[in-house]
């Protein structure tokens, strides 16, 4: 076999081991890859204080989430919603397993358009932290440059 080919395969395998496969790969989230950033919010129950707090953060600036092509996925108990609409075809258990989140805790996971996990937190994450994290991503920076150069800066 060609030595360069073997080296390339070894590097690809090493990259997968080190960086992991995209979080969205092979799941209900795959259709969002390269189109949307995903904010997954896990909570054991609807009245969980951290869930209520995160919902307030989102409600205060919906335009900022839309501008960043974000979709909000809530996994609360056994119910899963996408942007507030029930998704009974998505398994809460599978999403918890995929993102390694127990059904007994609150967790927030930000997934980039590339399908990779960008931020994980066991607590409410403020708008500033979310937007700063997203705005530092190379794809988002490109989006901002393109929007500015087209004269459609928002």
């Amino acid at each position: 076999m060609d030595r360069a080919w073997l080296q390339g395969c070894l590097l690809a395998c090493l990259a997968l081991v080190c960086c992991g496969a995209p979080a969205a790969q092979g799941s209900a989230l795959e259709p969002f890859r390269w189109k949307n950033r995903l904010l997954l919010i896990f909570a054991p129950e609807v009245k969980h204080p951290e869930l209520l707090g995160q919902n307030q953060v989102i409600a205060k600036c919906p335009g900022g989430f839309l501008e960043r092509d974000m979709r909000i996925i809530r996994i609360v108990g056994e119910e899963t919603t996408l942007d507030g609409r029930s998704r009974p075809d998505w398994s809460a258990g599978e999403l918890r397993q995929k993102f390694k989140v127990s059904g007994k805790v609150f967790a927030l996971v930000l997934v980039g358009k590339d399908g990779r996990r960008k931020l994980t937190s066991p607590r409410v994450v403020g708008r500033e932290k979310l937007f700063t994290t997203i705005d530092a991503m190379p794809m988002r920076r490109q989006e901002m440059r393109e929007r500015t150069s087209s004269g459609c800066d928002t």
Side-chain angles (χ1 to χ4, degrees):
M1 284 193 180
D2 181 34
R3 184 180 176 133
W5 182 84
L6 284 173
Q7 287 176 332
C9 286
L10 180 61
L11 284 174
C13 289
L14 186 59
L16 277 176
V17 169
C18 292
C19 303
Q25 187 174 342
S27 74
L29 307 181
E30 183 69 31
F32 299 102
R33 199 162 173 212
W34 304 117
K35 295 177 188 169
N36 298 102
R37 295 174 183 91
L38 304 175
L39 186 64
L40 291 96
I41 305 167
F42 296 87
E45 61 184 8
V46 175
K47 294 185 179 186
H48 192 280
E50 301 285 343
L51 175 62
L52 297 174
Q54 195 65 58
N55 287 342
Q56 286 180 338
V57 168
I58 294 166
K60 286 182 181 176
C61 190
F65 288 90
L66 288 173
E67 178 186 330
R68 289 167 178 82
D69 299 326
M70 294 182 72
R71 305 295 296 268
I72 312 297
I73 300 171
R74 291 178 181 85
I75 301 91
V76 181
E78 292 305 312
E79 184 179 354
T80 303
T81 63
L82 170 64
D83 299 329
R85 293 196 168 116
S86 181
R87 289 302 306 247
D89 54 321
W90 290 1
S91 166
E94 286 179 19
L95 289 170
R96 287 183 189 285
Q97 184 177 6
K98 181 139 195 93
F99 290 95
K100 297 176 177 52
V101 176
S102 162
K104 299 176 182 179
V105 300
F106 172 87
L108 176 138
V109 178
L110 174 64
V111 176
K113 284 187 175 182
D114 61 359
R116 297 193 186 278
R117 187 185 305 223
K118 305 298 182 181
L119 175 70
T120 303
S121 176
R123 290 181 265 301
V124 172
V125 177
R127 176 187 60 84
E128 299 81 16
K129 174 72 173 166
L130 284 170
F131 291 173
T132 300
T133 301
I134 292 167
D135 291 349
M137 295 176 189
M139 196 175 294
R140 172 67 179 147
R141 293 179 134 192
Q142 180 181 344
E143 292 166 0
M144 290 187 295
R145 280 192 303 273
E146 289 172 0
R147 198 167 278 146
T148 301
S149 67
S150 70
C152 295
D153 193 17
T154 54

